[in-house]
Amino acid sequence: DAGVTQSPTHLIKTRGQQVTLRCSPKSGHDTVSWYQQALGQGPQFIFQYYEEEERQRGNFPDRFSGHQFPNYSSELNVNALLLGDSALYLCASSYTGVRYGYTFGSGTRLTVV
Amino acid sequence: GENVEQHPSTLSVQEGDSAVIKCTYSDSASNYFPWYKQELGKGPQLIIDIRSNVGEKKDQRIAVTLNKTAKHFSLHITETQPEDSAVYFCAASTPLQNSGYSTLTFGKGTMLLVSP
């Protein structure tokens, strides 16, 4: 049983560009959450998707947007990249809420130059 | 919103010693407290969790305690081994009002180094 799959694993982008990160949740999970983890910090919540809708959002600007597809997979899009967007982006899947525990992917390391 | 403080930021122990990591949270509505282990280049892996109706939970060498009154919870690792070396994160889950879902707020992490 595959866990959470994220792609790509590493990415280098230039300031001002746009990026799309992808996540396939663990089998049986229907909720996808995205987190940003800066170097040496804990993960920071970006947003959560359930039934193809964003149902909660953290303190991130509108440059960060997402989407969930009918098969529960998800994308994170970041527009107008800033140097400060360099981080590990983690996708976590769960079933009907966090009480049942998140399963995290290995993340996408985004470097903005 | 919820705020989770975690201490210490780094912890060095000798193999076989015990390690304790402590966290405090601010929102009394938080009701689920997982602990994650993150190794270099990997995503966080759930190692143990505790719900607000339980005071203590143990799984082999790992235990977690929760004091709801004081709003703090701790991770205890006994008989540490070099492979326990990693970054450990505590987190708190706070349900949204009038909804059936919630999200996690993480502490800043503790780097545990176990020396042979």
Side-chain angles (χ1 to χ4, degrees):
Chain A
D1 178 27
V4 177
T5 304
Q6 291 188 244
S7 64
T9 55
H10 296 84
L11 203 53
I12 300 175
K13 289 287 189 178
T14 303
R15 271 184 305 175
Q17 285 188 317
Q18 178 265 343
V19 68
T20 297
L21 310 181
R22 295 177 175 83
C23 171
S24 293
K26 181 178 178 179
S27 177
H29 285 183
D30 56 10
T31 301
V32 173
S33 302
W34 286 91
Y35 285 80
Q36 181 195 65
Q37 186 177 22
L39 203 60
Q41 300 294 316
Q44 296 289 318
F45 174 69
I46 303 175
F47 42 54
Q48 184 179 89
Y49 277 85
Y50 173 69
E51 292 188 338
E52 302 179 50
E53 290 189 0
E54 180 184 297
R55 68 179 184 184
Q56 192 180 1
R57 186 179 186 91
N59 189 25
F60 279 80
D62 291 344
R63 297 187 297 110
F64 290 76
S65 63
H67 188 77
Q68 186 179 35
F69 299 94
N71 66 353
Y72 307 119
S73 66
S74 177
E75 289 182 348
L76 164 65
N77 301 292
V78 187
N79 293 323
L81 284 167
L82 304 174
L83 296 180
D85 295 331
S86 296
L88 179 68
Y89 287 85
L90 295 164
C91 170
S93 71
S94 59
Y95 178 68
T96 60
V98 76
R99 287 180 297 167
Y100 299 93
Y102 283 134
T103 298
F104 280 86
S106 294
T108 294
R109 172 69 64 186
L110 173 64
T111 302
V112 182
V113 298
Chain B
E2 175 63 279
N3 182 51
V4 177
E5 299 285 339
Q6 183 172 347
H7 300 280
S9 56
T10 59
L11 180 59
S12 295
V13 299
Q14 292 291 319
E15 183 177 2
D17 287 349
S18 294
V20 180
I21 302 171
K22 298 183 179 182
C23 289
T24 60
Y25 61 99
S26 61
D27 194 332
S28 57
S30 292
N31 58 7
Y32 172 69
F33 306 91
W35 285 87
Y36 290 87
K37 175 182 181 183
Q38 188 174 27
E39 298 175 320
L40 200 62
K42 297 184 179 180
Q45 179 184 10
L46 179 70
I47 56 172
I48 195 167
D49 56 12
I50 191 167
R51 302 184 186 183
S52 59
N53 59 347
V54 176
E56 183 175 357
K57 183 177 178 180
K58 189 173 181 180
D59 182 5
Q60 299 182 7
R61 298 187 295 109
I62 296 174
V64 58
T65 59
L66 171 65
N67 183 325
K68 286 176 57 179
T69 303
K71 297 196 189 75
H72 68 71
F73 55 114
S74 300
L75 177 71
H76 304 253
I77 305 174
T78 59
E79 301 173 20
T80 54
Q81 302 166 3
E83 51 266 39
D84 293 330
S85 296
V87 179
Y88 290 81
F89 292 97
C90 63
S93 169
T94 311
L96 292 180
Q97 267 189 329
N98 302 320
S99 77
Y101 50 87
S102 54
T103 61
L104 290 177
T105 302
F106 284 81
K108 291 189 175 181
T110 296
M111 180 176 290
L112 174 65
L113 178 60
V114 181
S115 302

